[in-house]
Amino acid sequence: MKDTSRPQAKDFELDCSVAGYDYELPPELIAQNPAVPRDSSRLLVVDSPTTGIEIAPQHHIFHDLPALLRSGDLLVMNNTRVIPARLYGHKSTGGKIQVLLLEERQYNCWLALVKPGKSFKQGAKIIFEGRGDGGDGGDGGDGGDEEDGGDGGDEGENFTSSSSSPSSSSSPSSSSSSSSPSSPSSPHFLTATVLETDAATGGRLLQFDVPEGKSLVQLLEVFGEVPLPPYITASEAADEQYQTVYAQEPGAIAAPTAGLHFTPELLQKLRDRQINQAFVTLHVGVGTFRPVEVEDVTTHQMHEEWIEVPAATVEQIRATKAAGGRVIAVGTTVVRALEGVAQSGNLQPFCGKTDLFIYPGYQWQVVDGLITNFHLPRSSLLMLVSALIGRQRLLNIYKEAIASGYRFYSFGDAMLILPSGVGVRS
């Protein structure tokens, strides 16, 4: 891989400024629904160090991917599964509440964004109704923690503050919801208590009161809904369309969207061509979707996200590189997982958290190429991709994608950066 560690001096100031990652996107290019079938989405290909400078990108369909990779290449994918992390409830005093679960800190004790949340103090109670138990969800009021910086989105593009209410027809408890008056002791009710405010996120630590022997995750199919990003305002997508076909490990609050383009048939075609597949887990959370709120990007602090890089994947990566193959990350979450584990200088199996923030000047350790969606302006993910091919190059490529009518963000089209296209040039 070419050395991307030293951006050229004339670009360095903009590389370090959040304003250098801005661009204008026509609203009609924000995808509201996924492509059907998944692999019929468009694929913009960066295959030369001059792509975006002297020559335009190639334009393909995602199902062309097997022909664009080589036998012996390794695709590394994120097998996290999005949980129904959006809950609607009300205070014990009656006010409506929206909750977005972020991560489990202890058993049935979750960090969450609460809206409205400014007056939500320690000891406050929240009551959640199972979908179909008569709750209308509501809009959660105005103000609150999510408006304090939560709706930034990024691969994101993924911070999720959908204002839609839960569907009453989707709940397994709906058949009995009208048989008796509502009461907090009903099995179709769930309560939580605010333990404290989390200074890092502005969220709340919520202790959920669940039946003995149960976990909150087991109850979310009844009490929660899969959250969609705030810019998806007119979607008809089913919940499973916001999951990758290989999603296995529950824990994310947003999908690793680069993986949404794969179908079982395409995965088989890749295997038939000896293009191998390996998996890591990164539970997409606040670290991915928080906006960059400082002007100097080098001072931005990423929040931690939980990752697992298993021994089998480490061995596959080592074997691939030893045989001259290339490691292609499917999504920026995979990049953060692999590169985060390799910060010690040696890729090893790992289970824990990473707060790695990648921006121009980063020295790559593991990843040779990348499949990714098109990301929000000023986002940490735009900075990550810029570290691979250069900020101005990436903005030039985005300009070409916009002119060609590519669909952007979570349900949008994809970009393939081949190892032959990696390198920072202006």
Side-chain angles (χ1 to χ4, degrees):
M1 174 176 290
K2 299 174 180 64
D3 181 13
T4 64
S5 62
R6 299 296 299 173
Q8 294 192 17
K10 65 179 180 179
D11 287 332
F12 184 73
E13 184 175 347
L14 280 174
D15 286 349
C16 294
S17 169
V18 70
Y21 298 88
D22 211 354
Y23 68 91
E24 295 293 329
L25 179 69
E28 62 270 18
L29 294 185
I30 300 174
Q32 297 297 307
N33 290 289
V36 179
R38 293 168 181 255
D39 60 0
S40 65
S41 57
R42 298 176 70 186
L43 180 65
L44 184 150
V45 179
V46 178
D47 66 345
S48 163
T50 60
T51 302
I53 304 172
E54 299 168 5
I55 62 172
Q58 293 185 33
H59 302 288
H60 288 267
I61 303 300
F62 200 85
H63 59 58
D64 296 337
L65 185 62
L68 297 168
L69 300 178
R70 297 176 184 168
S71 175
D73 284 347
L74 178 67
L75 288 171
V76 184
M77 305 173 181
N78 183 3
N79 65 1
T80 188
R81 185 170 182 84
V82 184
I83 61 174
R86 173 76 64 194
L87 290 84
Y88 296 88
H90 58 84
K91 298 181 183 180
S92 57
T93 55
K96 292 179 180 179
I97 294 291
Q98 278 189 38
V99 168
L100 179 67
L101 302 175
L102 297 182
E103 63 177 44
E104 189 173 30
R105 291 287 178 87
Q106 297 180 29
Y107 189 62
N108 291 330
C109 182
W110 284 72
L111 175 64
L113 298 181
V114 180
K115 179 180 179 180
K118 293 185 187 300
S119 61
F120 223 68
K121 306 298 184 184
Q122 181 177 351
K125 300 282 187 181
I126 310 176
I127 300 169
F128 303 97
E129 298 182 25
R131 291 185 294 171
D133 279 347
D136 62 3
D139 62 7
D142 51 20
D145 296 336
E146 294 184 43
E147 290 187 341
D148 293 347
D151 288 348
D154 300 358
E155 173 147 329
E157 282 58 79
N158 280 326
F159 183 48
T160 47
S161 182
S162 171
S163 61
S164 61
S165 299
S167 169
S168 61
S169 63
S170 61
S171 171
S173 64
S174 60
S175 61
S176 59
S177 62
S178 60
S179 61
S180 62
S182 297
S183 70
S185 62
S186 165
H188 302 306
F189 280 78
L190 177 70
T191 61
T193 303
V194 178
L195 299 184
E196 60 184 74
T197 298
D198 180 67
T201 62
R204 302 296 189 272
L205 202 61
L206 302 181
Q207 180 66 58
F208 286 85
D209 182 18
V210 302
E212 186 175 353
K214 295 285 187 180
S215 71
L216 179 62
V217 171
Q218 293 173 302
L219 301 178
L220 288 179
E221 292 297 331
V222 174
F223 290 96
E225 65 177 24
V226 171
L228 290 178
Y231 46 76
I232 297 179
T233 58
S235 182
E236 299 176 355
D239 285 353
E240 280 302 307
Q241 291 178 282
Y242 194 58
Q243 305 277 11
T244 63
V245 297
Y246 46 78
Q248 288 188 343
E249 302 296 333
I253 63 170
T257 55
L260 295 179
H261 307 280
F262 288 89
T263 64
E265 294 79 13
L266 179 59
L267 292 171
Q268 185 58 52
K269 289 178 181 178
L270 289 161
R271 286 190 289 267
D272 291 343
R273 293 178 67 96
Q274 285 75 54
I275 297 165
N276 301 309
Q277 297 155 33
F279 295 92
V280 299
T281 304
L282 183 146
H283 290 323
V284 185
V286 70
T288 294
F289 57 69
R290 273 297 197 199
V292 178
E293 297 174 327
V294 293
E295 185 57 36
D296 181 355
V297 303
T298 66
T299 65
H300 175 65
Q301 179 62 49
M302 292 285 286
H303 293 282
E304 292 182 325
E305 289 174 306
W306 189 90
I307 63 174
E308 181 175 10
V309 178
T313 295
V314 171
E315 289 305 314
Q316 284 180 276
I317 290 171
R318 290 174 179 167
T320 297
K321 289 183 174 288
R326 307 172 303 176
V327 175
I328 311 296
V330 178
T332 56
T333 58
V334 172
V335 172
R336 291 190 65 230
L338 294 179
E339 296 290 329
V341 170
Q343 288 306 289
S344 65
N346 187 20
L347 184 66
Q348 297 286 346
F350 179 81
C351 183
K353 291 187 176 182
T354 183
D355 62 357
L356 179 64
F357 174 37
I358 297 175
Y359 55 90
Y362 178 77
Q363 297 188 44
W364 295 89
Q365 305 292 319
V366 182
V367 172
D368 297 312
L370 174 64
I371 297 170
T372 186
N373 279 21
F374 295 94
H375 304 297
L376 285 174
R378 296 175 169 244
S379 66
S380 64
L381 302 184
L382 202 62
M383 297 166 192
L384 183 154
V385 182
S386 294
L388 199 61
I389 63 172
R391 179 190 56 81
Q392 188 56 57
R393 247 182 102 196
L394 181 62
L395 293 177
N396 292 346
I397 290 168
Y398 270 44
K399 185 176 180 179
E400 168 75 12
I402 291 168
S404 300
Y406 276 71
R407 301 162 72 242
F408 275 57
Y409 304 163
S410 296
F411 282 146
D413 296 315
M415 178 166 65
L416 168 63
I417 301 173
L418 289 166
S420 57
V422 169
V424 175
R425 292 185 55 177
S426 59

